[in-house]
Amino acid sequence: MKVTFSAPGKITIFGEHAVVYGRPAIVGSIDKRIYVTMERRNDNCIKILAEDLSFKGLSIKIGDRIEVEANDRILEALKYIVKAIEIASEYINEKSGMNISISSEMPVGAGLGTSAAITVATLAAYSYILGHELSLNEIAKLGHTVELTVQGIASPMDTTISTFGGLIYLMPNVGFEQLSLNNELDLILGHVKRDESTAKMVKKVREIKERNEKIIEMIMSSIGAIAEEGKWAIIKGDVEKLGLLMNINHGLLESLGVSTKLINDMVYASRNVGAIGAKLTGAGGGGCIIALCPGRKKEVSLAIKLVGGNPMDFKLSMEGLKRHNTQLL
Amino acid sequence: MKVTFSAPGKITIFGEHAVVYGRPAIVGSIDKRIYVTMERRNDNCIKILAEDLSFKGLSIKIGDRIEVEANDRILEALKYIVKAIEIASEYINEKSGMNISISSEMPVGAGLGTSAAITVATLAAYSYILGHELSLNEIAKLGHTVELTVQGIASPMDTTISTFGGLIYLMPNVGFEQLSLNNELDLILGHVKRDESTAKMVKKVREIKERNEKIIEMIMSSIGAIAEEGKWAIIKGDVEKLGLLMNINHGLLESLGVSTKLINDMVYASRNVGAIGAKLTGAGGGGCIIALCPGRKKEVSLAIKLVGGNPMDFKLSMEGLKRHNTQLL
């Protein structure tokens, strides 16, 4: 038996980093997905094939506990697969060897929530193939546990959005609200190599905050206010305002020390050819920017390319976790 | 009779733009000066020679009112000279034609307070040569009037610092406090062409603020908090903290939309070779950055050059307005 689950990546439109400190954020799932295909094996061996994620095939034997040493950003993704299998096994109280193949329509580890997408798709596929069709709520909850275990600290944001899909206004420790877009937004992603992991960037901000508690608290509140106003800009379809808020948010991320020269190059290049808003998206230290560029997608893509980034056309998409016919892959 | 007065330029270490909205700022006069030499003429003609400021010599006849049309950033500087002469004439109730020559040790109109330096040196030289030795308080006050008249809106900050010199913590509408440095700071200026005048940048921020009142107020308060903590970092000689606060302040200026691609290039290039803090200084839209780079001045200068900026070694200097022996020029 063979099954494929896919889950979407996400962009943070407003509020990355500040959400860690209790401020609201706006995140949306996108039309770029991670696909996890599983086939049950007759032995106890987990074999992972994931050339698209730029790591070679890897075999892991399941003992009482699965352990992977991962010092490297690419092995990082594997941690989530292994931990998801471990946690799913415990939850459904069954285990089996699997051939797992993974492919991605977006760069992995670039701040697009790929670890959450890998996690929820793995949880769903593994339990499904062993006869347990978990509910979305169960998967989102287990997914958060996986991220918590791997990262030490994690908001439920990424796993929630990757499981349910949508465009949400998230208020940490309170709940989230689905927003709806009246018109499709012209958006372009720009991607550059990431130097640092999300965990490291979160730690960097924590250190800056500890040294400048009052100032950074004020900046976090400013980012929170942007997310609040951004919600209304989305509801009203005020694209100009949305762009301006993105630009302001980018500066605040810069003040937290999470932007880089290459990220700024992409931001300025995009604005220069007509993006009305451009900002880092995700934890930073490299990774991705999003540019809001009504009618100027081609120009912005080219501009991003010219400064050394990889442009990617994308849309917000409401589709969350999904099971595919096995013919798909 | 011939006399030369000089007045220093200044850097804003913390708080540009936010000071317009009542937040504290820290500014320091520097060891780069503007020199204004005057020689009384027998007629009513004001002849200005200022090749160093990159404008050609210019003759103006004093009528009942001096008027100069200045649409251009270079003619901009002339407005201050003409207005300073007009206001000094009224104040001392005397007037005369003059040959005026002006030279500058720093780029003009780049956010270094050159218009204030030109203003106070002109006021002092003009009144001195006509037999009136104005007090520093009188000159600072008249200087502010000149800036107000020319710009429409102006804080007394630049004219105060250029007249008295020093390193001051300024609380608008309250007063200012002289700070003292325990150790000399290793600082480098980086200069690029400026696209916009201070007045235009102040207007730009005003417009963004009107559209996002709550958010921008919070950002202004964050900048104010940086100036407050920066004061203590200066008093304690905590250079590391000073650098970190500069970096945070730069991000906040970025969020106000006053930075540019070239400014950011210089900021990142400086940090990349060891500056512990780098930020835009002044109103932005191009102009100058300051980089705090203990023991790394050569490397930072080179890095600024490599991204197309003009590096300039400078020091904070306590020396304000000063009369020179005429032999000087």
Side-chain angles (χ1 to χ4, degrees), chain A residues 208 211-216 218-219 221-223 225-226 228-229 240-241 244-245 247-252 254-256 258-261 264-265 267-269 271 307, chain B residues 208 211-216 218-219 221-223 225-226 228-229 240-241 244-245 247-252 254-256 258-261 264-265 267-269 271 307:
Chain A
I208 291 178
R211 292 168 66 190
N212 304 277
E213 191 59 34
K214 183 181 165 193
I215 295 162
I216 303 298
M218 290 168 91
I219 293 172
S221 294
S222 308
I223 296 176
I226 289 172
E228 273 176 48
E229 295 204 13
E240 285 292 330
K241 176 95 177 183
L244 181 54
L245 292 174
N247 289 338
I248 299 172
N249 197 159
H250 180 72
L252 297 178
E254 170 77 42
S255 77
L256 297 179
V258 298
S259 190
T260 66
K261 162 95 175 91
N264 283 357
D265 284 352
V267 162
Y268 272 87
R271 292 178 190 163
V307 296
Chain B
I208 290 178
R211 292 170 66 190
N212 305 275
E213 192 59 34
K214 182 182 164 194
I215 295 162
I216 302 297
M218 290 168 91
I219 293 173
S221 294
S222 307
I223 296 175
I226 289 173
E228 273 176 47
E229 295 204 14
E240 285 291 331
K241 174 96 177 183
L244 181 54
L245 292 173
N247 289 337
I248 298 173
N249 197 159
H250 179 73
L252 297 177
E254 171 75 43
S255 77
L256 297 177
V258 298
S259 191
T260 67
K261 162 94 174 90
N264 283 357
D265 284 351
V267 162
Y268 272 88
R271 292 178 189 164
V307 296

Side-chain angles (χ1 to χ4, degrees), chain B residues 5 21 23 28 173 188 207 266 303:
Chain B
F5 274 80
Y21 300 96
R23 269 63 173 201
N173 308 319
I188 292 289
E207 282 165 4
M266 291 195 291

Side-chain angles (χ1 to χ4, degrees), chain A residues 8 10 27-29 156-168 320:
Chain A
K10 69 111 215 322
V27 289
S29 51
M157 187 170 83
D158 287 12
T159 38
T160 299
I161 198 89
S162 193
T163 306
F164 294 97
L167 178 58
I168 65 172

Side-chain angles (χ1 to χ4, degrees), chain A residues 294-314:
Chain A
R296 307 285 289 172
K297 296 216 292 192
K298 273 188 191 161
E299 293 83 348
V300 167
S301 294
L302 184 61
I304 287 171
K305 216 169 201 164
L306 288 174
V307 296
N310 306 306
M312 195 166 80
D313 198 345
F314 79 103

Side-chain angles (χ1 to χ4, degrees), chain A residues 176-224:
Chain A
F176 63 88
E177 177 180 350
Q178 278 282 1
L179 306 178
S180 60
L181 267 178
N182 292 321
N183 296 301
E184 199 170 273
L185 298 173
D186 277 355
L187 290 164
I188 292 288
L189 264 168
H191 170 244
V192 289
K193 202 179 147 290
R194 198 159 168 214
D195 304 321
E196 302 289 354
S197 68
T198 295
K200 273 195 189 159
M201 297 315 289
V202 168
K203 191 170 164 239
K204 188 179 177 190
V205 171
R206 169 149 315 188
E207 283 165 5
I208 291 178
K209 189 160 176 289
E210 277 165 6
R211 292 168 66 190
N212 304 277
E213 191 59 34
K214 183 181 165 193
I215 295 162
I216 303 298
E217 266 298 311
M218 290 168 91
I219 293 172
M220 294 302 181
S221 294
S222 308
I223 296 176

